Amino acid sequence: MDRTTRRTGAAVRRASDAVAAPSLERAALRERAARVLETNWTGTSTVPSRTLYPHQWSWDSAFVAIGSRHVSPLRAQLELETLFDAQWGDGRVPHIVFNPSVPLDAYFPSPDFWRSSTSGRAAGAPRSVQTSGIVQPPVHALAAWLVHRADPGLSRSRSFLARVYPKLAAWHRYLLHRRDLGGGGLASVIHPWEQGMDNSPCWDSPLSRIAPAPARAFRRADLEHGAPDDRPTDLDYGRYVRLATDYRNGRYADGQGEFAVEDPSFNALLIASEHALARIACELGAAGTARHARAERLTAALVERLWDPTTGMFFCRDLRGAADGHHAPRAPGHDTPRTAGRSSPPALIPEYGVSGLIPLILPTLPRHVTAGLLRVARGPRFGLGTTVRLVPSYDLTGPAFDPHRYWRGPAWFNTNWLIERGLRLHGEHAEAERLRAALLGTALDTAFAEYVDPYTGRGCGARSFAWSAALALDLLQEPRERHEGGTWG
């Protein structure tokens, strides 16, 4: 056993102790997590970080609502309501809702870059608030259902679900119709920021075709709050800016850009949200059968288009890439790409990102698919239960792995929270409990860091990060309480 394995084992044992700790220690962790959310609360929503991210982010707010429901169901409802007040007429939910009291130079791209009220007019951007023009993963129906379950009486008295359901339905319609760029039923992302795992090596190949914006065209505010070695490179950031600029200049019309990718995590969250919308429909007195059926069709499309049986993994599909052997996924280990025999669907991106494990949250995955994902998760690429403290964001054996650089290796609380739910859903309760313990121990050790070294658990990025605190609050609940009433509450 090497020193890294010994350190990781010791860290996991400390984390297990945190879960089994006396109620006084658990109460202290709960109090600290609640204090982070209180500090980051603006009066209408929660910022991810007071320094690095001073506005409201879409999927951050969904995870914040999931956690804050345990301390204030009312605030959790307000979190989602504030976000959906900024929804565009075409149904999209913007990835940032800007706080007008924050100086323009505090974050880039700022409202004057996106120009939502003018460039987004044809797509129905709101006039009363400034937003970005791109989206983030659709976790919101899951969050709305869990928030309702936390206090059904309050939810019903405020007509929370009745008011948010039409907005959630419009959001899903936008993704299922405007964003089905591949014609196979799945939603596509048109910018790496939309998928949420901004700097993942999964984007390197499709991004390589994008001419970066010149450095003089933007100023990186993120480098004022984070170490440059932990953040995206200037070259990648220039490509992000180019894609966003072109989308804005095209009046936010979908399907015209050079970047279009079907992502397994984004679509898995959409499918899980369809199941949640079915539950919400039933709560409101309507039939949820059609939504459950749609979720099943989307699950079948996900397996058909993004699952690779030769590797046991879901991969991203590059809709603008060439359909040739260069894009055939690598088999486990360091073998050359498989090109003989049954080939993978054209333009699959041969990178093992944590996004490919997130479909474990789906209740009706075929058994052989679930078994394959569990093998990959436990294997050398992700080290679940063996070599790491938390599941990394990218392949531990991959050439682009970096334990500290943004989404190129570090472990994140939200993706591990989703994997913990998936493990429990598929009966892997002991492994889920170990991961839960590691998450809580890491949250305590790092003061709710934005992300961590997967081996050591050392915190990186911002501290007092909102979703890290919120998901710790959720994990502090006993699994029976968190899962009461079904897969998603």
Side-chain angles (χ1 to χ4, degrees):
M1 181 184 296
D2 61 24
R3 282 181 292 178
T4 298
T5 303
R6 287 197 298 271
R7 285 198 304 270
T8 302
V12 171
R13 285 192 295 274
R14 287 198 305 275
S16 299
D17 291 343
V19 171
S23 57
L24 187 63
E25 186 172 334
R26 292 167 65 84
L29 180 55
R30 175 186 170 91
E31 181 181 349
R32 291 180 192 176
R35 192 180 307 132
V36 169
L37 296 186
E38 182 68 33
T39 300
N40 291 10
W41 175 249
T42 68
T44 56
S45 64
T46 306
V47 298
S49 162
R50 282 286 181 182
T51 55
L52 188 53
Y53 306 105
H55 302 285
Q56 183 180 24
W57 261 258
S58 173
W59 76 326
D60 293 72
S61 278
F63 288 121
V64 165
I66 288 169
S68 62
R69 69 191 167 115
H70 299 297
V71 293
S72 176
L74 176 59
R75 184 173 289 183
Q77 292 178 30
L78 291 173
E79 184 80 41
L80 295 173
E81 290 166 354
T82 299
L83 178 66
F84 276 86
D85 283 345
Q87 186 173 28
W88 289 28
D90 64 2
R92 82 181 73 192
V93 178
H95 98 296
I96 303 175
V97 181
F98 290 105
N99 183 341
S101 67
V102 173
L104 284 179
D105 62 359
Y107 182 81
F108 179 85
S110 50
D112 57 340
F113 172 87
W114 295 103
R115 305 171 198 165
S116 61
S117 60
T118 54
S119 295
R121 187 175 300 161
R127 300 287 186 88
S128 59
V129 63
Q130 294 294 311
T131 76
S132 66
I134 60 175
V135 303
Q136 273 189 328
V139 198
H140 311 91
L142 302 179
W145 177 244
L146 292 173
V147 166
H148 165 77
R149 291 283 302 174
D151 191 338
L154 174 68
S155 175
R156 291 169 185 144
S157 71
R158 297 186 69 249
S159 300
F160 169 65
L161 290 183
R163 287 183 293 108
V164 77
Y165 179 80
K167 298 180 179 182
L168 290 166
W171 171 216
H172 285 209
R173 278 197 302 274
Y174 168 78
L175 293 174
L176 292 169
H177 296 286
R178 302 287 186 92
R179 288 301 189 88
D180 182 10
L181 304 181
L186 298 183
S188 298
V189 296
I190 51 82
H191 194 292
W193 288 340
E194 291 199 314
Q195 191 262 3
M197 303 174 194
D198 310 0
N199 197 37
S200 170
C202 296
W203 313 131
D204 288 356
S205 176
L207 275 178
S208 68
R209 300 189 297 270
I210 309 302
R216 64 180 181 276
F218 58 92
R219 183 188 65 82
R220 294 188 59 179
D222 63 316
L223 297 182
E224 297 175 8
H225 304 285
D229 288 347
D230 291 353
R231 305 292 299 174
T233 65
D234 286 344
L235 176 60
D236 284 335
Y237 212 90
R239 286 168 169 155
Y240 303 153
V241 172
R242 169 67 67 191
L243 284 171
T245 301
D246 290 350
Y247 193 41
R248 179 200 66 202
N249 292 346
R251 303 287 180 177
Y252 297 112
D254 293 314
Q256 307 303 314
E258 298 177 74
F259 185 101
V261 175
E262 292 174 349
D263 173 75
S265 174
F266 193 99
N267 281 282
L269 289 167
L270 176 59
I271 294 165
S273 286
E274 275 292 312
H275 283 300
L277 271 185
R279 291 173 179 265
I280 293 172
C282 291
E283 168 65 24
L284 296 174
T289 308
R291 292 206 174 274
H292 279 309
R294 180 178 293 136
E296 292 309 305
R297 290 196 299 273
L298 287 168
T299 300
L302 183 74
V303 172
E304 179 184 354
R305 293 179 69 81
L306 304 186
W307 171 251
D308 180 62
T310 64
T311 59
M313 186 66 171
F314 284 100
F315 292 103
C316 297
R317 181 183 178 108
D318 181 3
L319 298 178
R320 302 289 187 255
D324 57 30
H326 174 72
H327 293 278
R330 292 184 298 252
H334 295 283
D335 300 335
T336 55
R338 294 191 178 193
T339 56
R342 184 205 175 278
S343 62
S344 301
L348 286 179
I349 300 172
E351 297 288 359
Y352 288 73
V354 71
S355 171
L357 300 179
I358 302 302
L360 281 170
I361 65 174
L362 301 178
T364 60
L365 275 186
R367 188 171 300 178
H368 72 278
V369 173
T370 302
L373 290 178
L374 291 172
R375 280 194 300 272
V376 173
R378 292 164 176 153
R381 296 187 185 277
F382 292 98
L384 174 65
T386 54
T387 58
V388 296
R389 187 172 188 177
L390 295 178
V391 178
S393 52
Y394 175 67
D395 183 357
L396 297 167
T397 70
F401 174 77
D402 185 328
H404 302 139
R405 193 178 286 277
Y406 211 63
W407 289 109
R408 300 181 81 83
W412 293 72
F413 285 85
N414 64 332
T415 54
N416 276 267
W417 180 86
L418 289 165
I419 290 170
E420 189 266 353
R421 298 283 305 213
L423 290 170
R424 226 174 271 282
L425 170 64
H426 293 289
E428 304 294 331
H429 296 289
E431 199 152 49
E433 192 62 19
R434 287 192 294 271
L435 185 54
R436 172 182 174 236
L439 279 162
L440 286 172
T442 304
L444 183 64
D445 290 348
T446 65
F448 308 103
E450 183 181 0
Y451 52 97
V452 303
D453 183 309
Y455 287 115
T456 67
R458 183 177 73 82
C460 303
R463 299 301 191 273
S464 297
F465 199 72
W467 78 27
S468 302
L471 296 178
L473 280 171
D474 187 63
L475 290 162
L476 280 168
Q477 307 301 309
E478 292 301 320
R480 175 181 53 81
E481 298 170 9
R482 294 168 58 220
H483 294 259
E484 181 184 2
T487 302
W488 285 100

